[in-house]
Amino acid sequence: MQPWVYIVLVGAVAIVYALRLPARAKEDSADKQSLKETEAALELYMADIERENDKMLQLVSSIKQQSQNNRTAMQEEIDSLREQVADLQKNLMLLETRLTAEEKGLLQLTASFAKESSASRASEAVRPPSTEHAAEQPEPKPKPVNSIKLRYPRLFELHEQGKSIDAIAKTAGLQRGEVQLILQLAKQEETA
Protein backbone atom coordinates (compact mmCIF):
# COMPACT_ATOMS: atom_id res chain seq x y z
CA MET A 1 0.00 0.00 0.00
CA GLN A 2 0.99 3.58 -0.63
CA PRO A 3 1.97 5.76 2.35
CA TRP A 4 -0.85 8.19 1.73
CA VAL A 5 -3.35 5.36 2.12
CA TYR A 6 -2.10 4.78 5.65
CA ILE A 7 -2.50 8.44 6.37
CA VAL A 8 -6.05 8.38 5.05
CA LEU A 9 -6.85 5.38 7.21
CA VAL A 10 -5.38 7.05 10.28
CA GLY A 11 -7.43 10.14 9.48
CA ALA A 12 -10.58 8.06 9.03
CA VAL A 13 -9.98 6.29 12.36
CA ALA A 14 -9.45 9.65 13.99
CA ILE A 15 -12.71 10.93 12.53
CA VAL A 16 -14.65 7.85 13.64
CA TYR A 17 -13.11 8.05 17.07
CA ALA A 18 -14.04 11.72 17.31
CA LEU A 19 -17.64 10.97 16.31
CA ARG A 20 -17.96 8.29 19.00
CA LEU A 21 -16.70 10.46 21.77
CA PRO A 22 -19.01 10.81 24.67
CA ALA A 23 -21.67 13.46 24.56
CA ARG A 24 -19.59 15.85 26.62
CA ALA A 25 -17.14 16.06 23.70
CA LYS A 26 -19.96 17.26 21.48
CA GLU A 27 -20.67 20.04 23.84
CA ASP A 28 -17.17 21.18 23.91
CA SER A 29 -16.73 23.49 20.91
CA ALA A 30 -13.02 23.70 21.41
CA ASP A 31 -12.68 20.00 20.71
CA LYS A 32 -14.78 20.36 17.54
CA GLN A 33 -12.59 23.17 16.35
CA SER A 34 -9.50 21.03 17.01
CA LEU A 35 -11.04 18.12 15.11
CA LYS A 36 -11.83 20.33 12.11
CA GLU A 37 -8.31 21.69 12.13
CA THR A 38 -6.92 18.14 12.24
CA GLU A 39 -9.15 17.10 9.34
CA ALA A 40 -8.08 20.13 7.33
CA ALA A 41 -4.42 19.43 8.07
CA LEU A 42 -4.84 15.80 7.01
CA GLU A 43 -6.56 16.81 3.79
CA LEU A 44 -3.78 19.30 2.98
CA TYR A 45 -1.16 16.66 3.73
CA MET A 46 -2.92 14.14 1.49
CA ALA A 47 -3.16 16.69 -1.31
CA ASP A 48 0.58 17.42 -1.03
CA ILE A 49 1.41 13.71 -1.14
CA GLU A 50 -0.81 13.23 -4.18
CA ARG A 51 0.89 16.12 -6.02
CA GLU A 52 4.32 14.71 -5.24
CA ASN A 53 3.22 11.27 -6.47
CA ASP A 54 2.00 12.83 -9.72
CA LYS A 55 5.33 14.61 -10.20
CA MET A 56 7.18 11.37 -9.49
CA LEU A 57 5.05 9.48 -12.04
CA GLN A 58 5.70 12.16 -14.68
CA LEU A 59 9.43 12.02 -14.01
CA VAL A 60 9.51 8.22 -14.27
CA SER A 61 7.43 8.38 -17.45
CA SER A 62 9.78 10.92 -19.08
CA ILE A 63 12.85 8.87 -18.11
CA LYS A 64 11.24 5.75 -19.58
CA GLN A 65 10.40 7.58 -22.84
CA GLN A 66 13.92 8.99 -23.12
CA SER A 67 15.41 5.54 -22.53
CA GLN A 68 13.18 4.07 -25.23
CA ASN A 69 14.20 6.82 -27.69
CA ASN A 70 17.90 6.21 -26.95
CA ARG A 71 17.50 2.48 -27.45
CA THR A 72 15.70 3.02 -30.78
CA ALA A 73 18.43 5.40 -32.01
CA MET A 74 21.16 2.94 -31.02
CA GLN A 75 19.38 0.07 -32.75
CA GLU A 76 19.10 2.12 -35.96
CA GLU A 77 22.80 2.95 -35.79
CA ILE A 78 23.68 -0.73 -35.22
CA ASP A 79 21.56 -1.73 -38.21
CA SER A 80 23.29 0.90 -40.35
CA LEU A 81 26.72 -0.34 -39.25
CA ARG A 82 25.74 -3.94 -40.00
CA GLU A 83 24.73 -2.92 -43.54
CA GLN A 84 28.06 -1.14 -44.01
CA VAL A 85 29.98 -4.19 -42.80
CA ALA A 86 28.01 -6.44 -45.17
CA ASP A 87 28.81 -4.08 -48.09
CA LEU A 88 32.48 -4.01 -47.16
CA GLN A 89 32.63 -7.81 -46.95
CA LYS A 90 30.98 -8.08 -50.36
CA ASN A 91 33.48 -5.61 -51.86
CA LEU A 92 36.35 -7.49 -50.24
CA MET A 93 35.20 -10.75 -51.77
CA LEU A 94 34.95 -9.12 -55.21
CA LEU A 95 38.44 -7.65 -54.86
CA GLU A 96 39.87 -10.99 -53.75
CA THR A 97 38.25 -12.70 -56.73
CA ARG A 98 39.69 -10.09 -59.06
CA LEU A 99 43.13 -10.39 -57.50
CA THR A 100 43.07 -14.17 -57.84
CA ALA A 101 42.07 -13.91 -61.50
CA GLU A 102 44.85 -11.39 -62.19
CA GLU A 103 47.42 -13.56 -60.42
CA LYS A 104 46.37 -16.56 -62.53
CA GLY A 105 46.69 -14.45 -65.67
CA LEU A 106 50.17 -13.29 -64.64
CA LEU A 107 51.24 -16.87 -63.90
CA GLN A 108 49.99 -18.00 -67.32
CA LEU A 109 51.78 -15.09 -68.97
CA THR A 110 55.00 -15.92 -67.11
CA ALA A 111 54.71 -19.60 -68.04
CA SER A 112 54.10 -18.83 -71.72
CA PHE A 113 57.00 -16.37 -71.76
CA ALA A 114 59.27 -18.93 -70.12
CA LYS A 115 58.26 -21.54 -72.74
CA GLU A 116 58.96 -19.13 -75.59
CA SER A 117 62.26 -18.14 -74.07
CA SER A 118 63.39 -21.73 -73.58
CA ALA A 119 62.21 -22.64 -77.09
CA SER A 120 64.21 -19.79 -78.64
CA ARG A 121 67.31 -20.80 -76.63
CA ALA A 122 66.89 -24.39 -77.71
CA SER A 123 66.65 -23.39 -81.38
CA GLU A 124 69.81 -21.29 -81.07
CA ALA A 125 71.66 -24.16 -79.41
CA VAL A 126 70.75 -26.55 -82.26
CA ARG A 127 72.28 -24.32 -84.95
CA PRO A 128 75.89 -25.31 -85.59
CA PRO A 129 78.35 -22.47 -85.40
CA SER A 130 79.75 -21.54 -88.78
CA THR A 131 83.46 -21.94 -89.29
CA GLU A 132 83.80 -18.51 -90.80
CA HIS A 133 82.72 -16.79 -87.64
CA ALA A 134 84.53 -19.13 -85.25
CA ALA A 135 87.56 -16.93 -85.08
CA GLU A 136 85.55 -13.78 -84.85
CA GLN A 137 83.85 -12.57 -81.75
CA PRO A 138 80.19 -13.51 -81.47
CA GLU A 139 77.86 -10.88 -82.75
CA PRO A 140 76.07 -8.93 -80.03
CA LYS A 141 72.38 -9.62 -80.10
CA PRO A 142 70.37 -6.58 -81.02
CA LYS A 143 67.80 -5.63 -78.47
CA PRO A 144 64.27 -6.14 -79.69
CA VAL A 145 62.59 -3.03 -80.94
CA ASN A 146 59.53 -3.90 -78.95
CA SER A 147 61.46 -3.94 -75.67
CA ILE A 148 59.59 -4.06 -72.40
CA LYS A 149 61.61 -1.09 -71.20
CA LEU A 150 60.17 0.99 -74.03
CA ARG A 151 56.63 0.10 -72.97
CA TYR A 152 57.14 1.02 -69.29
CA PRO A 153 59.74 3.80 -69.17
CA ARG A 154 58.37 5.37 -65.96
CA LEU A 155 58.46 2.03 -64.15
CA PHE A 156 62.13 1.44 -65.03
CA GLU A 157 63.03 5.02 -64.20
CA LEU A 158 61.59 4.56 -60.71
CA HIS A 159 63.36 1.19 -60.37
CA GLU A 160 66.70 2.77 -61.30
CA GLN A 161 66.10 5.43 -58.65
CA GLY A 162 65.97 2.61 -56.08
CA LYS A 163 62.25 2.79 -55.33
CA SER A 164 60.60 -0.26 -53.79
CA ILE A 165 58.23 -2.47 -55.76
CA ASP A 166 55.30 -1.26 -53.68
CA ALA A 167 56.18 2.40 -54.31
CA ILE A 168 56.58 1.74 -58.03
CA ALA A 169 53.23 -0.08 -58.15
CA LYS A 170 51.50 2.77 -56.37
CA THR A 171 53.04 5.45 -58.57
CA ALA A 172 52.50 3.56 -61.85
CA GLY A 173 48.98 2.48 -60.91
CA LEU A 174 49.77 -1.22 -61.29
CA GLN A 175 49.51 -4.26 -59.06
CA ARG A 176 52.59 -5.38 -57.11
CA GLY A 177 52.67 -8.69 -59.00
CA GLU A 178 52.56 -6.90 -62.36
CA VAL A 179 55.56 -4.76 -61.42
CA GLN A 180 57.50 -7.85 -60.35
CA LEU A 181 56.64 -9.63 -63.59
CA ILE A 182 57.66 -6.66 -65.73
CA LEU A 183 61.01 -6.40 -63.91
CA GLN A 184 61.61 -10.16 -64.34
CA LEU A 185 60.76 -9.98 -68.03
CA ALA A 186 63.21 -7.07 -68.43
CA LYS A 187 65.98 -9.13 -66.77
CA GLN A 188 65.26 -12.04 -69.09
CA GLU A 189 65.41 -9.71 -72.11
CA GLU A 190 68.80 -8.46 -70.99
CA THR A 191 70.22 -11.95 -70.51
CA ALA A 192 68.74 -13.27 -73.76
Tab-separated table of all heavy atoms in Angstrom, residues 5-21 35 38-39 42 46:
chain	number	residue	atom	x	y	z
A	5	VAL	N	-2.181	6.160	1.734
A	5	VAL	CA	-3.349	5.358	2.116
A	5	VAL	C	-3.355	5.158	3.633
A	5	VAL	O	-4.416	5.231	4.272
A	5	VAL	CB	-3.337	4.001	1.366
A	5	VAL	CG1	-4.450	3.091	1.871
A	5	VAL	CG2	-3.471	4.225	-0.131
A	6	TYR	N	-2.190	4.934	4.194
A	6	TYR	CA	-2.102	4.783	5.649
A	6	TYR	C	-2.559	6.062	6.347
A	6	TYR	O	-3.259	6.022	7.371
A	6	TYR	CB	-0.662	4.455	6.077
A	6	TYR	CG	-0.244	3.056	5.702
A	6	TYR	CD1	0.765	2.851	4.775
A	6	TYR	CD2	-0.855	1.950	6.266
A	6	TYR	CE1	1.154	1.578	4.408
A	6	TYR	CE2	-0.472	0.670	5.909
A	6	TYR	CZ	0.535	0.483	4.991
A	6	TYR	OH	0.912	-0.783	4.659
A	7	ILE	N	-2.119	7.163	5.749
A	7	ILE	CA	-2.504	8.444	6.372
A	7	ILE	C	-4.009	8.632	6.291
A	7	ILE	O	-4.652	9.089	7.248
A	7	ILE	CB	-1.756	9.604	5.682
A	7	ILE	CG1	-0.245	9.437	5.958
A	7	ILE	CG2	-2.240	10.939	6.167
A	7	ILE	CD1	0.626	10.342	5.163
A	8	VAL	N	-4.601	8.263	5.204
A	8	VAL	CA	-6.053	8.382	5.055
A	8	VAL	C	-6.748	7.495	6.075
A	8	VAL	O	-7.737	7.903	6.713
A	8	VAL	CB	-6.482	8.018	3.616
A	8	VAL	CG1	-7.994	7.904	3.497
A	8	VAL	CG2	-5.956	9.057	2.626
A	9	LEU	N	-6.244	6.288	6.231
A	9	LEU	CA	-6.851	5.375	7.214
A	9	LEU	C	-6.730	5.927	8.636
A	9	LEU	O	-7.677	5.841	9.431
A	9	LEU	CB	-6.206	3.996	7.128
A	9	LEU	CG	-6.552	3.188	5.868
A	9	LEU	CD1	-5.758	1.898	5.844
A	9	LEU	CD2	-8.038	2.889	5.813
A	10	VAL	N	-5.560	6.466	8.948
A	10	VAL	CA	-5.380	7.053	10.282
A	10	VAL	C	-6.353	8.215	10.456
A	10	VAL	O	-6.978	8.387	11.520
A	10	VAL	CB	-3.918	7.519	10.478
A	10	VAL	CG1	-3.765	8.357	11.729
A	10	VAL	CG2	-2.988	6.315	10.538
A	11	GLY	N	-6.498	9.010	9.397
A	11	GLY	CA	-7.434	10.141	9.476
A	11	GLY	C	-8.861	9.654	9.651
A	11	GLY	O	-9.647	10.227	10.432
A	12	ALA	N	-9.218	8.592	8.913
A	12	ALA	CA	-10.583	8.061	9.031
A	12	ALA	C	-10.832	7.514	10.432
A	12	ALA	O	-11.906	7.713	11.017
A	12	ALA	CB	-10.804	6.979	7.986
A	13	VAL	N	-9.837	6.816	10.980
A	13	VAL	CA	-9.977	6.293	12.355
A	13	VAL	C	-10.121	7.443	13.339
A	13	VAL	O	-10.947	7.388	14.276
A	13	VAL	CB	-8.766	5.394	12.705
A	13	VAL	CG1	-8.734	5.072	14.180
A	13	VAL	CG2	-8.801	4.127	11.877
A	14	ALA	N	-9.360	8.492	13.090
A	14	ALA	CA	-9.445	9.647	13.993
A	14	ALA	C	-10.829	10.285	13.911
A	14	ALA	O	-11.406	10.700	14.936
A	14	ALA	CB	-8.369	10.673	13.632
A	15	ILE	N	-11.373	10.339	12.701
A	15	ILE	CA	-12.708	10.931	12.528
A	15	ILE	C	-13.755	10.075	13.221
A	15	ILE	O	-14.636	10.581	13.929
A	15	ILE	CB	-13.018	11.118	11.023
A	15	ILE	CG1	-12.107	12.203	10.440
A	15	ILE	CG2	-14.481	11.490	10.821
A	15	ILE	CD1	-12.176	12.312	8.944
A	16	VAL	N	-13.678	8.764	13.006
A	16	VAL	CA	-14.652	7.855	13.636
A	16	VAL	C	-14.533	7.933	15.153
A	16	VAL	O	-15.546	7.981	15.883
A	16	VAL	CB	-14.443	6.409	13.135
A	16	VAL	CG1	-15.239	5.410	13.961
A	16	VAL	CG2	-14.818	6.317	11.659
A	17	TYR	N	-13.308	7.961	15.624
A	17	TYR	CA	-13.110	8.053	17.074
A	17	TYR	C	-13.708	9.349	17.607
A	17	TYR	O	-14.326	9.381	18.662
A	17	TYR	CB	-11.617	7.965	17.394
A	17	TYR	CG	-11.316	8.064	18.863
A	17	TYR	CD1	-11.589	7.017	19.731
A	17	TYR	CD2	-10.767	9.228	19.402
A	17	TYR	CE1	-11.335	7.098	21.075
A	17	TYR	CE2	-10.500	9.323	20.757
A	17	TYR	CZ	-10.779	8.262	21.580
A	17	TYR	OH	-10.511	8.355	22.924
A	18	ALA	N	-13.519	10.423	16.868
A	18	ALA	CA	-14.037	11.716	17.314
A	18	ALA	C	-15.562	11.718	17.312
A	18	ALA	O	-16.192	12.344	18.182
A	18	ALA	CB	-13.510	12.816	16.407
A	19	LEU	N	-16.181	11.029	16.358
A	19	LEU	CA	-17.636	10.975	16.308
A	19	LEU	C	-18.209	10.127	17.449
A	19	LEU	O	-19.337	10.343	17.894
A	19	LEU	CB	-18.098	10.422	14.955
A	19	LEU	CG	-17.824	11.326	13.748
A	19	LEU	CD1	-18.224	10.614	12.459
A	19	LEU	CD2	-18.570	12.639	13.872
A	20	ARG	N	-17.473	9.172	17.941
A	20	ARG	CA	-17.959	8.287	18.997
A	20	ARG	C	-17.622	8.806	20.400
A	20	ARG	O	-17.905	8.134	21.384
A	20	ARG	CB	-17.367	6.894	18.816
A	20	ARG	CG	-17.887	6.242	17.536
A	20	ARG	CD	-17.623	4.790	17.580
A	20	ARG	NE	-18.222	4.159	16.425
A	20	ARG	CZ	-19.262	3.355	16.466
A	20	ARG	NH1	-19.828	3.082	17.598
A	20	ARG	NH2	-19.730	2.819	15.368
A	21	LEU	N	-17.009	9.909	20.435
A	21	LEU	CA	-16.698	10.463	21.768
A	21	LEU	C	-17.990	10.643	22.587
A	21	LEU	O	-19.075	10.820	22.022
A	21	LEU	CB	-15.993	11.812	21.607
A	21	LEU	CG	-14.512	11.749	21.220
A	21	LEU	CD1	-13.985	13.164	21.025
A	21	LEU	CD2	-13.699	11.055	22.271
A	35	LEU	N	-10.780	19.218	16.040
A	35	LEU	CA	-11.037	18.123	15.114
A	35	LEU	C	-11.090	18.636	13.679
A	35	LEU	O	-10.517	18.033	12.765
A	35	LEU	CB	-12.344	17.421	15.478
A	35	LEU	CG	-12.719	16.220	14.633
A	35	LEU	CD1	-11.682	15.114	14.746
A	35	LEU	CD2	-14.084	15.716	15.029
A	38	THR	N	-7.649	19.380	12.524
A	38	THR	CA	-6.917	18.142	12.243
A	38	THR	C	-7.337	17.576	10.898
A	38	THR	O	-6.489	17.141	10.100
A	38	THR	CB	-7.186	17.103	13.354
A	38	THR	OG1	-6.842	17.658	14.618
A	38	THR	CG2	-6.372	15.848	13.129
A	39	GLU	N	-8.640	17.580	10.621
A	39	GLU	CA	-9.145	17.097	9.342
A	39	GLU	C	-8.591	17.936	8.195
A	39	GLU	O	-8.174	17.406	7.156
A	39	GLU	CB	-10.669	17.126	9.311
A	39	GLU	CG	-11.332	16.059	10.139
A	39	GLU	CD	-12.859	16.187	10.152
A	39	GLU	OE1	-13.390	17.148	9.537
A	39	GLU	OE2	-13.482	15.344	10.759
A	42	LEU	N	-4.991	17.097	7.683
A	42	LEU	CA	-4.839	15.801	7.012
A	42	LEU	C	-5.176	15.906	5.528
A	42	LEU	O	-4.505	15.318	4.677
A	42	LEU	CB	-5.735	14.743	7.664
A	42	LEU	CG	-5.237	14.155	8.980
A	42	LEU	CD1	-6.290	13.238	9.581
A	42	LEU	CD2	-3.950	13.392	8.779
A	46	MET	N	-2.586	15.113	2.528
A	46	MET	CA	-2.923	14.139	1.494
A	46	MET	C	-2.819	14.766	0.106
A	46	MET	O	-2.339	14.129	-0.856
A	46	MET	CB	-4.329	13.566	1.725
A	46	MET	CG	-4.369	12.599	2.887
A	46	MET	SD	-5.991	11.972	3.340
A	46	MET	CE	-6.898	11.894	1.865
